[in-house]
Amino acid sequence: MGFLGLGVMGRPMALNLARAGTELVVWNRSAAAADALREAGAEVAADVGELFRRADVVLMMLANDKVADEVLGRDGDGFARMVAGRTLVHMGTTAPAWSRGLAEQVRDAGGRYVEAPVSGSRVPAENAELVAMLAGADADVERVTAVVRPMCREVVRCGPVPNGLLMKLSVNTFLISLVTGLAEAFHFAARHDLDRGTLLSALDAGPMASPVSRIKGRKLLDRDFGVQASIRDVLYNNQLIVEAAEAAGIPSPLLDTCLELYAETASAGHGGEDMAAVIRALESR
């Protein structure tokens, strides 16, 4: 197996594969990020071409479509030769239309393509509790399902490409709305001089409680904005959702508002902080 991209999400995901006994070869743009994988028994490729030569299935967890285009060298003569006979598994989050185009290019070159975006941030990635949303040809999805199991609590099949990414954007619509609403609740309580620890206790005991609300609620209470899912990444996801809604001719009023708040937070210099830091935009207003 090959794994491209060892960032905040990719490194713990690849580590779970290695620890499960997967014969793994990895590559990352920043070589130092591969040290932990080497220690876990994975091999480190010198470049992307070597990784594809050595792996039948390549998992890709890269930051966005521009990075993926650059890493894969899609405009170069070697792309088709590199992916021929290989299965490329796209686990990151990009525009569905971009993924559809990549799928067609891989198939034209004689390769196979599966979408497998995941729901969950750094902690679920570390704990192998991600939810993967797979899309592609049935036989390819069947094979990839077994591959991604060591990283996931659940694997959901979504049909053909790009339904995996459309499902991920649907899930993220709820996630972004939830965390932004939670931040607004903490801001509301603070401005009314309420004890926010009591607010967290009430939320944790109530019917709306979830792992997300408990984790993000604690971060809001402690003003701990150490990154799990960054403002910058959430803003990127939010933009994808709004664009996909516009393309389908449907309204997205909650996410339109969230987009403004996350953009304001990023513009104020907090793009590298956790998404709970969206409360800063409310405080600034």
Side-chain angles (χ1 to χ4, degrees):
M1 311 300 301
F3 202 105
L4 291 172
L6 303 173
V8 171
M9 293 289 290
R11 185 165 69 165
M13 291 166 65
L15 281 170
N16 282 325
L17 286 177
R19 290 164 180 163
T22 305
E23 293 185 13
L24 198 63
V25 56
V26 303
W27 180 88
N28 192 65
R29 289 183 296 169
S30 173
D35 291 345
L37 271 299
R38 186 183 287 107
E39 293 173 4
E43 297 186 34
V44 180
D47 53 42
V48 176
E50 180 191 343
L51 184 142
F52 272 89
R53 287 192 296 272
R54 297 177 60 183
D56 294 324
V57 178
V58 176
L59 310 180
M60 182 172 71
M61 189 63 180
L62 298 171
N64 53 51
D65 52 3
K66 293 179 180 178
V67 172
D69 285 342
E70 179 183 347
V71 167
L72 294 173
R74 287 182 65 189
D75 294 333
D77 296 335
F79 174 80
R81 292 192 301 272
M82 187 174 71
V83 300
R86 305 292 188 269
T87 299
L88 179 61
V89 183
H90 173 30
M91 302 196 74
T93 305
T94 60
W98 178 89
S99 180
R100 184 190 291 115
L102 178 58
E104 293 172 357
Q105 191 176 3
V106 170
R107 285 195 293 266
D108 289 345
R112 293 168 293 278
Y113 183 84
V114 173
E115 288 178 343
V118 294
S119 179
S121 57
R122 178 178 56 82
V123 172
E126 291 172 345
N127 296 334
E129 293 179 347
L130 298 169
V131 177
M133 291 154 275
L134 272 59
D138 288 344
D140 298 336
V141 167
E142 183 71 30
R143 183 184 185 193
V144 171
T145 296
V147 170
V148 302
R149 283 286 183 195
M151 300 180 286
C152 299
R153 176 169 52 82
E154 191 67 52
V155 177
V156 180
R157 299 189 182 190
C158 301
V161 173
N163 283 7
L165 278 163
L166 287 169
M167 190 66 71
K168 171 66 185 293
L169 296 184
S170 299
V171 169
N172 278 2
T173 297
F174 179 50
L175 171 65
I176 295 170
S177 302
L178 172 66
V179 175
T180 309
L182 186 64
E184 187 167 340
F186 270 79
H187 182 247
F188 179 92
R191 292 305 296 262
H192 284 84
D193 296 322
L194 298 178
D195 182 80
R196 289 172 297 161
T198 303
L199 170 62
L200 183 59
S201 296
L203 290 170
D204 285 351
M208 295 89 70
S210 69
V212 170
S213 73
R214 290 190 173 100
I215 291 172
K216 300 305 184 187
R218 174 55 61 178
K219 293 180 82 65
L220 286 162
L221 178 64
D222 296 341
R223 302 291 293 190
D224 167 21
F225 298 137
V227 67
Q228 293 174 342
S230 74
I231 290 288
R232 186 180 301 109
D233 288 342
V234 173
L235 176 58
Y236 168 69
N237 277 260
N238 202 327
Q239 289 170 327
L240 292 177
I241 294 166
V242 170
E243 290 168 2
E246 290 175 351
I250 57 177
S252 55
L254 290 177
L255 272 290
D256 290 345
T257 298
C258 290
L259 184 64
E260 295 176 4
L261 291 167
Y262 284 92
E264 289 171 20
T265 310
S267 296
H270 305 294
E273 296 181 349
D274 187 77
M275 67 184 298
V278 71
I279 195 172
R280 295 188 188 277
L282 296 167
E283 293 165 345
S284 178
R285 287 187 178 191

